[in-house]
Amino acid sequence: MSLSNSDQQVLNRIFNPEMPYEQSEAAAGQPLSDTELEIADMTEEERDRLSESKKLEVEAIHAIERGDLSGGLDSLNRCVSLTPHRASCYNNRAQALQLRGDRRGALDDLESALRLSRGSGRVACQALTQRGVIHRAEGRDDEARQDFEAAARLGGPFAKQMLVEMNPYAALCNQMLREVIGQLSRPSDSAEDCSS
């Protein structure tokens, strides 16, 4: 009995749950990415909406980079309307909302991004990092640390850096190290006395 491509992918995910989807499918001879699997199951209309949503997302990012925050937000709002199931749309809109100073709206979108991404993958890592930054800016260091730890487990380099900065022992060690290096780089008075 031969398994269908879909059956093989399901079994591969069951037997290799810790392996990223792209690797597990490639190992089983199925070089389909998770996104390709989703697209394969979509209707033509859904694929068209997804394609348009991705274009809007890119337009939005370029608009924001040019300083057109309102235009970028308009594109991201349309992106979310077209594909409300895409975590990336919410994550990017959260960044734009933060730039506008709307932390509450950004937090709402980050919650949506995390829910839709099921807390895993690149978008979840970015959303956790963004939420950690907001928590830290608002003085909620415990919540920020939790988000940075989760993002670091997902491979986020910025989250790892933030954890080091938030570690009081690391901060103390860094301060002591700077003092020692500063003392070593300046000739001391006692060293001058010995040389005379």
Side-chain angles (χ1 to χ4, degrees), residues 36-138:
E36 289 169 327
L37 290 173
E38 289 175 12
I39 292 171
D41 293 336
M42 290 181 174
T43 66
E44 187 173 339
E45 181 184 339
E46 290 171 326
R47 281 192 294 272
D48 289 344
R49 281 199 315 265
L50 176 62
S51 178
E52 179 63 22
S53 175
K54 287 180 178 183
K55 286 178 191 172
L56 285 167
E57 202 169 7
V58 170
E59 280 178 25
I61 292 167
H62 290 304
I64 292 168
E65 287 173 348
R66 289 189 315 268
D68 182 9
L69 185 58
S70 293
L73 274 169
D74 287 344
S75 292
L76 288 167
N77 288 334
R78 289 185 300 166
C79 180
V80 167
S81 294
L82 271 174
T83 53
H85 61 281
R86 286 190 64 229
S88 179
C89 298
Y90 292 95
N91 185 62
N92 285 321
R93 188 170 69 177
Q95 288 178 318
L97 290 171
Q98 280 193 74
L99 289 172
R100 190 173 75 182
D102 181 1
R103 286 184 180 160
R104 180 73 259 153
L107 286 171
D108 290 344
D109 273 0
L110 293 171
E111 293 300 324
S112 295
L114 289 167
R115 179 178 43 79
L116 291 167
S117 67
R118 295 187 277 301
S120 67
R122 181 185 55 81
V123 173
C125 180
Q126 292 170 343
L128 287 162
T129 301
Q130 280 195 80
R131 192 173 69 179
V133 168
I134 292 172
H135 286 320
R136 184 136 192 241
E138 294 183 347

